[in-house]
Amino acid sequence: MTPHLHVSFRTGLLGLLALGLFFCAFEFVQASGPRIPIPTSFHSRLGRVPLDHDEKPIASHMLRWFAKKSKFAPQLDMGLRLAAQQLAGGLARGRIRRLSHKQVVPALWLFGRSDHQIRVFAMAFRQTHELTDALERALASHLAQHRPNFFGLAVVSRKVKIGLLLFSRRGALLEQGSRLCRVGQMCRLSGYLMQGKVRPLVMIGNPHGKVLRPKVKRSGRNAFAVEWPVRWSGPMQVQVMVTDQDGPWITAQYEIHGWEPPTSRGGLLRHVVQGYLRAATLSSPPSQRKPSKRHPAVRPTRKTPQTAQNMAKDLWQNVNAFRRKQSLSFLRRHPTLDALAQSHANDMATYHYFAHTSPRHGSFADRFQRLGWTVKIAQENIVAARSPKEALRHWMESPSHRSNLIEPKFRWTGVGAAVGKDGQIYFVQVYIAK
C-alpha cells in the first residue's frame, strides 16, 4: 500500500504544479499580451455585448463618417470588441505600455478571431471630441483605405480614458472547428466567402518547412471546404487567401496543432507541463530570449541571379531618388536587412504567393523579431511587378505603401528581388528607424 500511496501523492503534487503553471501562464498572457498557446477551437459563437454610453457616440460618429464619404460602413463584431476591451484595459491599467503585433494577435485568438487584415486605432483622451477628431483624421488618412468590413470598439475609464478600435478586412468567415488535429487523421477547414471574393486558396506550412496546397472543394455559391492528412505533430501555419477586384490577399492566418495522444497518465501530465513551460519561454521579452536554433532569423537561400540583384539595387536607387525630390533623408542599405528582404522575396517566388506573411516563416513582425533588434519603427513593402520602375509606381499609388516611402524617420533599408517560375518578379523592401 505504501508505494501506491507514495505514487499517488507525487502524481498529485505534479498535478498541482501543472495547475499552478496554467494559472500563472494565463495571468501573464492577460498582463502583457505575448504569444499564447493556441486555443482548442476558433470562431466560437459569441453573445451580444452592447456598447455603453461612452462608446455609442464614438461608434455613431464613425458610422456617420463612412455614410458621408459614401463608403461601406463596417459592422460591429463581438470577437473584435472583446479583444479591444482586453487591450484597452491593459493599456489603462499600465500592464501594457504599447500595442504590438505580439499583443494584438493573441487577444484576437483568445476570442476566436484569426483575421490577417487588422488595423488598430488607440488613444488616451479626456473629452470624447478629442477621440472622435483624431479618429476622423485617421480614417481620412489610412484606416478607411484599408476597406474594413468589421470593427470592435472599447472605452475604458481610469485617470484618463483609453479608446481602442480594431478594424478588420475579412474575405471569408470560417466555421467553428477544432485547432487540434490528431496525427494519422484528416484535418478539415470550412467556411464561406464574403461578397465579391472568389478563388479561395489554402496553404499549410508544416513543422518541417514544407508548404501544402490541398484542393479546395466548393459547395454552393459561397461555401468552401478543404481536408488534408496530418502526418506530423507540431504547429501548422494555415493561411486562407481570397481574390477580389484588387487581386489576391490573405484574409486569415492561424495555427493548427497536430498532436499524438500520450500513452500513459504520466505522459499526459508531462505533455501539459512541457506545453506551459514552452508558453512561459515564449512569453519572455525578445531581449531575454536566445535566438531559436530551429528557426533562424534568416534562413539560407539559394544564390540569387545577378539580374535580380541588379533589380533590387535599381529599386533602392529609385526609392532614394524619389525621397531626394521630397527633401527626405537617404536610405542606407544594411546587409542583415537585405538578407531579410531577399529571403521573403525568394519565399514568395518559390511557393508562388503574394503576402507579407509567409506560410513557413510567419508574419513580417515574426521574421523581424528573430533578428533580436530593438528599433522604433519597422515596416515592409512588397509588390509583384515587371520592373523596378513599375514597382515604385505601384507603391506610390498605394497610400499605405507610399507612407513608408515618405516616412522621414526611416534611415536604414533592405531590398530584395526574386523571379518566380512563371516570370513574375517579387520585390521586397524593409525600412527601419532606430
Side-chain angles (χ1 to χ4, degrees), residues 198-211:
V198 296
R199 293 195 294 275
L201 172 66
V202 178
M203 296 185 294
I204 299 119
N206 68 19
H208 306 292
K210 296 182 179 180
V211 178

Side-chain angles (χ1 to χ4, degrees), residues 267-283:
L268 175 61
L269 185 58
R270 286 193 299 272
H271 178 74
V272 172
V273 173
Q274 290 172 0
Y276 286 106
L277 286 176
R278 285 195 298 269
T281 303
L282 289 172
S283 300

Side-chain angles (χ1 to χ4, degrees), residues 203-212 228-229 231-238 256 294-295 299 359-361:
M203 296 185 294
I204 299 119
N206 68 19
H208 306 292
K210 296 182 179 180
V211 178
L212 305 179
W228 68 94
R231 299 190 177 93
W232 52 83
S233 60
M236 295 173 280
Q237 299 289 336
V238 179
I256 286 181
R294 293 183 59 189
H295 301 284
R299 291 174 177 263
R360 300 196 306 155
H361 308 310

